[in-house]
Amino acid sequence: MQLRWLTTGDTTDGRRGQVVIAIPAYDGYEHFVGCLRSVLEHTPVDVPILVCDDASPDPRLQEHVGQLDAAGGSDHTLYYLRRDTNLGFPANVNGAFAAAAPADVVVLNSDCVVAEGWIEGLRDAAYSDSRVATATALTDHGTLVSVPDRGTPGRLPPGWDFQAAAAAVRAGSARLRPRLPTAIGHCIYVRRSALDLVGDFDLAFSPGYGEEVDFSQRCIRAGMSHVLADEILVQHHGGGSFNPDSRRGEIQLAHERMLAARYPYYHQWIQDTEDDAGGPLARVLGTARRVLKGLSVVIDGRILTGPTVGSQVQVLEVISALARTGRARISVVMPDRPNPDALRTLRSLDGLRLVSMKEAGAPTAELADVVHRPFQINGYEDLAYLGCLGERLIITQQDLISFHNPGYFRNPESWRHYRHLTRLSLAVADHVVFVSEHGRRDATSEELVEPHRASVVHNGVDHSVTDGRIGATAPSGSDRLPGGAQVILCLGTDFRHKNRVFALRLLEALRADHGWPGYLAFAGAPVKVGSSRREEAELLAAHPELAGVVIDFRAVSEAEKVWLFERAALVLYPTVHEGFGLVPFEAAHHDRPCMWAAGTSLSEVLPDAEATIVAWDAHESAVRAIELLTDRDAHERNLTAVRAAGENLTWDVAAAGLLEIYERACDAPMAPAAALERGHGLLNGMLGDDALRLVGPEGAIPPDLQRPLLALANHPQVGTPVFGAIRAGYRLAYRARRRWRRPGAQLRR
C-alpha cells in the first residue's frame, strides 16, 4: 500500500473525471477500522482513499493506518490528512473537497461499511444524468433511504449478513435512481461539477447539522438534482463516530431555523416525499425491503362473518392457498365478530397474522407492500380504509352484473353512485383481478380499467379448507321432502339473473311433458332489491299444482348445502350471467350431474357441448333433464366433462397467479389515478367514515346544501357561532342519551 501523510493545504493529485474516497474521522476507532477495511477490500486499487482525521483524541486511528502500511499486501493509494485542531464536520469535508480537486469526491462516514460494487454503482448513479449533483446510497439505518422498513430506522432482518444483503439488493434493483430532496450524509458521491457551480459546505452550519441540506438546496436552485443509487446498500452504524458537543441539541435547533428561513419549502418537501407511496422512491425502497424481508400482503377478510356461505369459502381458500406457498408474509384483516369456523380455519394456518381493523389501520402499523380485497368494493369508506394499509391496492372484481343492471338498486341515483364507485375503485386499483376473461373483457370494453392493469385468475375448484370436514345437516323445512322422492336442486340467490323463474318453467315442462313426479328445491339467500320473488309467486299462482312440489330453503349453511347435494338427483344452474360459475364443480364433487346454459364465463371453464340447458326453452331443456335423471351414461358423461374441466382449476394455481400479480404491481409505477387519490383524495386517509356519510353518495348532506354550508364555514363572523352552537347542542344531546341509557335510568324516571 502506498501511504502518504498530508497536512492542511496538501492535495491528492486528483484528476478531473477521477473519484477520491474521503473518510472524515473523529474517534470511533472500532467503526473506523471496519470502514477502512471494507473500503480497501471492495474498492478498485486505482481509486485513491483520503482519511480526514479531525484532530481525533484517539491515536489508534493513525497507528492502525501505519500498521496497514507496514503490513503491505495492498496496491491502494491511501492519504492521511491530520488536522491540528478540531474543525467540525463541514470544514473537515471542505478540506477533503479541496485536497481531492479537481476529482469527484465520495464522502463516506467512518461508521459505515461498504460492499462489492459500491463505488461503481455510486458513480453510475451520479452520472445517470448531466444535471446530477450527488448520488446517495441506501442504508440500513436512516429515514428516507433506510431499509428494510419504510420511513423508520431499521436494521437488517434476521438471517442476513451485510455482504449478502448488499449483493441481494444490488441484484434485485431496477436502478431507477429516483430523485431526492437532499443528499443524505452517510455516503454521498459529490460530482466536481456541483462543487464548481455552487461551492462547498457553508461553515455557518459548523460544527455540523444541515450542511448537506444547504448544499443540496443550492444545487437544486442552480438546476441540478440529487438521486438515490438504489442498487447500493451501505451499512451505517448511525452515530458511532461523531464529534460530541454538549450544545448539540441547541445547535441542531439553530440550524433547523436557518434551513427553514433559507428554504421554507424544504421540510414540507421532505414530509411529502416520505408520505408519497406512489413515487419512484417508494418503489425502490419497497424493492429493497422485499428483497430482504419478503413480500408483505394484507388480505381484507372482513367478509368472514355470519353463517359460512360460498363467498366466505372463496376468501378462505384464497388465504389458505397463499399461506401454503410460504412466499409472502400475510396478514388478514378480520371483522369484529368473525365466523367461528372461519376463525378456527385461519388460526390453523402457519405463518398467518390475524389483525383487527383498528390494528391494521393504526398509524404505527407497518405499511404492507400489497393490500388485496378479494371481493368487490361495496362503499367509498372501503377504499379510504384500504388505501391506508398497503402501498399497492389489488381488487378482485368478480363481475359487472350490478354495474349493468339498474334493477338491482332502490332508485336511479343509487345505481349511478354504484357505477361511480366501480369506476373509481377500478381506476385507483394498481391491479384488478378478474375470475374470468369474460369479466375482464367486459371491464376493458367499458374502459373501466386499462388492459395492462387487468388480469384473470380463475378460482380453484379443489376446496381444501372445507371439503371433507363438514358433515351434512338437514335444513329447516327438510321434512317436506318425502323419502325416496327425486329432487332437482337450484342453488343461488333470488337475483333475477339467477333465473329461478326458468327453473319453475322447467319444472312445469317436466311434469306436463314427461310426468316427472319429483320436487324442485331452491337454496339461496333472498335479496332486498332485484329479487325474482314476485315473478315466482305469480307463476306459482297461475300453476297451483306446482306449489306443493317447490320448496325454498332460502339461505343455507355449508353443512346444509351438503345435505341438499346428497338428496339431489340433479343440480340446476340456470344463471344468465355469472362471474365464474362454481356450482357445476360443486355438484360434480358430490357426484351429481348439473345443467347449465352456454355463455358468459361458463363457456371459459366448462364445455359448451355439455351445457344441457337450451336457453331459454323449458320444453327442450326438460328433455335433457330427463336424460340426466334416467340415463346413467348421460349422467357419467356430464360428471366426467365437469371434472376434466376442473383439473387445472386449482387454488394453488390461483395463488401462484396472485403472487405474480402482487410482484408486478409492486415493480410497476402506481396507477396515476391511484397516486392522485392517495396524495389528495379518498385514499389519503383524511376523510373519515363520518365525512363520507355526510357528503359521499347518498350522504346526509344533499349536493344543493353543500355549497351553502361551505360558504357558511368560510365566514368566521357567522360560521363560528353557528357551528359552535351545533357542536354544543350535539354534546348536550349526547350526554342526555348517555344518562338515559344508564342501567336504572328509566326506572328512576
Side-chain angles (χ1 to χ4, degrees), residues 347-697:
R347 284 177 172 170
S348 71
L349 300 176
D350 292 336
L352 208 62
R353 179 170 170 259
L354 307 183
V355 295
S356 67
M357 282 185 63
K358 185 176 180 180
E359 289 173 319
T364 56
E366 179 184 349
L367 199 65
D369 296 309
V370 169
V371 55
H372 180 194
R373 166 91 162 195
F375 49 100
Q376 293 169 198
I377 297 291
N378 298 319
Y380 289 81
E381 64 277 6
D382 287 330
L383 276 181
Y385 175 70
L386 294 171
C388 300
L389 304 185
E391 292 191 350
R392 293 293 185 269
L393 173 62
I394 312 295
I395 293 174
T396 294
Q397 184 79 18
Q398 287 94 339
D399 55 62
L400 291 176
I401 294 173
S402 296
F403 183 85
H404 292 305
N405 195 335
Y408 287 169
F409 298 87
R410 295 186 183 280
N411 52 58
E413 189 67 12
S414 297
W415 183 47
R416 186 179 70 84
H417 285 316
Y418 177 82
R419 284 168 64 86
H420 178 265
L421 173 63
T422 302
R423 287 190 180 278
L424 178 63
S425 61
L426 299 194
V428 303
D430 294 284
H431 211 90
V432 183
V433 177
F434 296 90
V435 295
S436 69
E437 178 58 35
H438 182 273
R440 177 184 181 274
R441 197 165 52 244
D442 195 4
T444 55
S445 67
E446 289 286 338
E447 299 184 354
L448 300 176
V449 61
E450 303 93 334
H452 71 274
R453 286 195 299 112
S455 298
V456 175
V457 176
H458 287 125
N459 285 333
V461 298
D462 59 332
H463 295 349
S464 63
V465 171
T466 55
D467 281 358
R469 300 193 331 193
I470 294 182
T473 299
S476 176
S478 59
D479 55 339
R480 293 180 56 193
L481 282 176
Q486 280 194 322
V487 178
I488 294 177
L489 174 62
C490 183
L491 284 173
T493 65
D494 57 4
F495 274 122
R496 290 189 185 94
H497 76 272
K498 293 293 186 178
N499 211 5
R500 292 183 9 157
V501 171
F502 176 79
L504 293 173
R505 290 172 49 213
L506 177 64
L507 175 64
E508 179 192 2
L510 283 169
R511 293 173 63 86
D513 298 350
H514 304 280
W516 185 69
Y519 285 71
L520 174 64
F522 287 125
V527 299
K528 294 180 179 179
V529 182
S531 171
S532 61
R533 284 193 299 272
R534 188 177 68 180
E535 291 88 341
E536 294 169 34
E538 290 173 353
L539 192 150
L540 289 173
H543 299 277
E545 73 279 6
L546 300 181
V549 293
V550 175
I551 304 174
D552 189 350
F553 291 98
R554 301 171 78 87
V556 295
S557 68
E558 288 298 301
E560 291 168 336
K561 189 165 69 172
V562 170
W563 187 91
L564 289 170
F565 272 125
E566 290 178 352
R567 286 289 284 111
L570 175 66
V571 176
L572 182 63
Y573 195 43
T575 179
V576 175
H577 184 182
E578 207 61 37
F580 176 72
L582 184 63
V583 169
F585 298 102
E586 289 183 303
H589 178 75
H590 291 278
D591 295 321
R592 298 299 183 264
C594 183
M595 297 183 69
W596 71 90
T600 68
S601 62
L602 295 177
S603 293
E604 289 178 42
V605 294
L606 291 164
D608 283 348
E610 295 300 324
T612 46
I613 291 179
V614 180
W616 296 102
D617 188 320
H619 296 280
E620 287 293 327
S621 298
V623 174
R624 311 286 184 87
I626 288 295
E627 185 180 19
L628 288 172
L629 288 166
T630 60
D631 187 333
R632 190 64 190 176
D633 289 340
H635 178 118
E636 290 300 322
R637 189 168 59 248
N638 181 278
L639 291 179
T640 299
V642 174
R643 288 168 178 162
E647 286 181 356
N648 295 322
L649 296 173
T650 71
W651 284 112
D652 287 340
V653 170
L658 288 174
L659 285 168
E660 181 184 347
I661 288 169
Y662 297 164
E663 294 282 2
R664 272 196 286 138
C666 289
D667 291 338
M670 183 175 283
L676 184 63
E677 281 292 327
R678 283 179 185 268
H680 307 284
L682 193 62
L683 274 67
N684 70 356
M686 296 301 292
L687 287 178
D689 289 350
D690 290 340
L692 290 169
R693 284 195 290 267
L694 281 174
V695 298

Side-chain angles (χ1 to χ4, degrees), residues 293-338:
K293 294 187 69 175
L295 180 72
S296 60
V297 179
V298 170
I299 304 291
D300 187 352
R302 290 176 291 164
I303 197 174
L304 300 174
T305 188
T308 300
V309 294
S311 55
Q312 292 184 342
V313 172
Q314 302 301 305
V315 173
L316 284 171
E317 292 291 351
V318 165
I319 296 170
S320 177
L322 288 170
R324 283 197 301 271
T325 68
R327 291 170 50 193
R329 295 179 290 119
I330 301 173
S331 300
V332 181
V333 181
M334 298 296 290
D336 292 335
R337 296 180 180 177

Side-chain angles (χ1 to χ4, degrees), residues 120-144:
E120 295 88 346
L122 279 172
R123 181 179 175 84
D124 287 348
Y127 281 85
S128 59
D129 189 279
S130 62
R131 297 168 297 164
V132 173
T134 69
T136 299
L138 286 165
T139 176
D140 64 338
H141 181 93
T143 51
L144 278 179

